Amino acid sequence: MLTSQPAIRPYRSYVYAYPHKTAYGKLDAHPTGRPELRELWAAERKDALSLYLHIPFCEVRCGFCNLFTRIGAPDELTTRYLDALERQATAVRDALGDEAPVRFAAAAFGGGTPTFLTAAELERLCDIAEQRMGADLRSVPLSVETSPSTATADRLAVLADRGTTRISIGVQSFIDAEARAAVRPQRRADVEAALGRIRDVRIPVLNIDLIYGIDGQTEDSWRTSLDAALGWQPEELYLYPLYVRPLTGLGRFGADVEAAANAAWDEQRLRLYRAGRDHLLSHGYEQVSMRMFRRADVPQEGPADYACQTDGMIGLGCGARSYTTRLHYSFDYAVEMREVRAIVDCYTATADFSRAEVGRYVDGDEARRRHLLQSLLQARGLRLADYHERFGTLPGDDFRSELDRFEARGWLDGAADASGLLRLSPEGLAHSDALGPELFSPAVRAAMAAYELK
C-alpha cells in the first residue's frame, strides 16, 4: 500500500553560516577555561583573512528582522561602543602575532546599520580597521551595508574616500504599502533619493536587497519593485524570501509563526521567487545563489584569494563571528530588545578581549558539512577535486544518503558530473532553504533545538 510522503517545506531556514549561532555554547567548559585567542590562532594561516566589523545599531527595527541589533544609541553609546571595538581590535591583533604574515584579503562593515554612525564615527571605524588591525581598506574589497535613511551624502563620501568597493542597501520593496506591511517605515521617494546619492559617489558595486512574500504582494507588484531596482542598473541584486520568526515585530503583531509556514504561503513565495529569477535572468543578470544575482557584464567583486570554506575570519563587535579551522566563536546572541541591550552594555564595559566567550568546536565531520554547504548552495557548485584535496574523500563517500535524497528530488544537476562538479539544478537552488538544513549534523540540530530564545 502506497503512503503519501510529507510535503517538503521549501522555506525552513536561511543557511548563511554553519553551524548557526544558536548552536554555540559557553566555552567555560574548556579544560583550561575560556580559550585564549593567541592559542586559537597560533597554528592558523593568516595570510588571507576576512575582516568583519559589526555595528549593532539601527534607527528602526523592521518587522522581519531577527539580526542582533538595537534601536538607537542614547548617552554616547556609539562612542563607548567604538572605544570597546578599538580595545577588542588591539587585543585581537596582538593575539594574531607577527610570527607569520598577517594579511586581510577582504573587509566588511555590517550590522545593524553601519551608517547609523555619523561621518566622523565612520572615519574612526575605518581607522580601527586600518591602524589597529592592519587592513589596507583601499587595496581590498570593502563592503558596507546601509539603509535609505542613513545613506547621507557626508557618510557616503567618507565610505567612498576610504575605499569602499561595494555598498548594499536594504530596500525590500519600492511600494510604500508593502514596506508598511513588512513593518518598515519608508517612502519610495526617500529610497530613490538615497540610491541617487549612492550612485553620485561612484562606489563600484551597488547591491539592492528586495523581499518577496510580503502580505498583499502580487506578481505585478513584485515586478514593479524589480523594475524600479533595475532602473538603477545595480551590479548586484539579492532577492530574499520573507520569514516570520519568533520575537520579531511580525511575530509579535499577531502573525502565527507556524501558520505562516503553510502551503499557500510557501507556494506564493516559490512563485514569486521563480518570477523574480526569470525576470533578472532575462535582463542580463547571472544567478550566483538562490538569493544573489550579479549583472553579467560586472566582474566578481570578491577577493580572488579568499575562500569562505577554508580561510579564517576575524569578527570585531558584539554581534560578529570569528572562524578558525577548529573553533567558531562570538559573543552571546539575542533577538529580544532587552536582551540585546544587555549584551551591548556588557560588551562596551569589557576590558579584556583576549579570550573567546561563546562558540562551537568544528570537528572533521562538521568541517566536511560546512565545506559542502557553503559550496553547494552557490550556483557554481562544488569542485570535487577541492573537496578531495582537503579531506581525502568525496562528498558521495561522506554524505551518500543525503545526496541520494537530493538527487531523487531533482535537486542535483546530473550534467555537472562530467566536469568534476557537484552542483544544484535550478529546482535545487529554488529549494536551498530546505536543502541546507538537511545537511545539519544531529549534534548541531540538538544544540539549536535546545537553544532558549531570548
Side-chain angles (χ1 to χ4, degrees), residues 382-428:
L382 167 66
R383 288 187 69 245
L384 297 176
D386 290 345
Y387 188 95
H388 186 269
E389 180 181 358
R390 183 177 180 190
F391 300 112
T393 57
L394 291 171
D397 302 325
D398 300 329
F399 303 102
R400 183 73 272 155
S401 62
E402 292 93 335
L403 294 177
D404 284 348
R405 189 160 65 245
F406 300 158
E407 185 175 16
R409 295 171 182 169
W411 289 358
L412 298 182
D413 179 4
D417 292 347
S419 53
L421 293 172
L422 179 63
R423 188 169 60 200
L424 296 182
S425 66
E427 196 63 11

Side-chain angles (χ1 to χ4, degrees), residues 12-342:
R12 289 180 56 190
S13 177
Y14 171 25
V15 182
Y16 58 90
Y18 180 80
H20 190 270
K21 282 178 77 172
T22 54
Y24 289 11
K26 295 283 187 182
L27 294 171
D28 304 73
H30 189 270
T32 59
R34 290 185 293 113
E36 292 188 359
L37 301 188
R38 182 177 292 277
E39 170 195 331
L40 291 174
W41 286 97
E44 298 288 318
R45 280 191 56 186
K46 299 181 277 283
D47 59 344
L49 297 171
S50 179
L51 178 64
Y52 177 76
L53 277 65
H54 180 257
I55 303 300
F57 304 112
C58 290
E59 288 191 324
V60 296
R61 187 163 197 167
C62 302
F64 50 83
C65 178
N66 73 336
L67 298 177
F68 183 88
T69 188
R70 63 160 291 164
I71 306 308
D75 303 323
E76 303 297 321
L77 181 55
T78 54
T79 298
R80 288 186 279 118
Y81 186 83
L82 289 173
D83 289 345
L85 196 70
E86 188 159 5
R87 292 195 300 274
Q88 185 188 10
T90 301
V92 171
R93 183 59 187 85
D94 181 64
L96 292 177
D98 294 309
E99 296 80 11
V102 176
R103 187 183 71 87
F104 292 96
F109 302 157
T113 308
T115 49
F116 179 91
L117 300 178
T118 66
E121 289 170 332
L122 286 171
E123 291 275 17
R124 185 180 178 193
L125 186 68
C126 293
D127 286 344
I128 291 170
E130 292 184 336
Q131 297 171 15
R132 298 301 180 191
M133 293 304 301
D136 186 352
L137 297 182
R138 291 181 176 85
S139 68
V140 302
L142 170 60
S143 178
V144 182
E145 297 174 12
T146 191
S147 68
S149 62
T150 62
T152 59
D154 58 339
R155 292 173 169 107
L156 293 170
V158 167
L159 295 177
D161 180 64
R162 299 302 291 261
T164 302
T165 56
R166 177 183 182 271
I167 194 152
S168 178
I169 183 167
V171 173
Q172 319 316 348
S173 176
F174 282 85
I175 296 175
D176 292 353
E178 289 183 2
R180 288 194 299 272
V183 194
R184 182 180 177 86
Q186 67 183 28
R187 296 186 307 129
R188 178 170 176 172
D190 297 330
V191 171
E192 302 275 4
L195 288 165
R197 291 191 293 271
I198 292 170
R199 282 310 199 193
D200 286 345
V201 297
R202 300 185 182 278
I203 290 172
V205 175
L206 165 65
N207 173 71
I208 297 176
D209 289 345
L210 298 175
I211 284 182
Y212 55 92
I214 299 171
D215 187 32
Q217 192 175 48
T218 65
E219 287 191 50
D220 286 343
S221 68
W222 177 225
R223 180 163 294 198
T224 295
S225 280
L226 290 166
D227 286 338
L230 289 171
W232 291 97
Q233 296 186 298
E235 285 71 23
E236 295 176 3
L237 276 159
Y238 270 73
L239 308 184
Y240 287 95
L242 181 66
Y243 277 91
V244 176
R245 300 179 176 96
L247 303 183
T248 62
L250 288 176
R252 284 191 169 128
F253 294 160
D256 185 318
V257 176
E258 290 301 320
N262 63 31
W265 195 35
D266 284 347
E267 193 278 330
Q268 180 209 18
R269 285 180 288 180
L270 270 176
R271 185 176 66 252
L272 294 175
Y273 159 78
R274 290 175 175 134
R277 175 198 62 194
D278 294 348
H279 196 59
L280 295 187
L281 293 178
S282 71
H283 280 75
Y285 285 75
E286 296 175 339
Q287 187 164 18
V288 179
S289 68
M290 172 187 168
R291 288 162 170 75
M292 182 182 176
F293 295 80
R294 181 187 295 121
R295 227 173 60 206
D297 62 338
V298 175
Q300 181 175 344
E301 189 269 340
D305 58 348
Y306 178 77
C308 65
Q309 297 92 334
T310 56
D311 291 323
M313 173 179 281
I314 297 291
L316 302 178
C318 59
R321 311 169 192 237
S322 295
Y323 302 146
T324 71
T325 52
R326 290 188 59 247
L327 178 70
H328 294 186
Y329 63 93
S330 182
F331 295 93
D332 204 1
Y333 168 72
V335 176
E336 200 275 327
M337 195 54 58
R338 179 172 52 86
E339 297 283 353
V340 170
R341 287 195 295 265

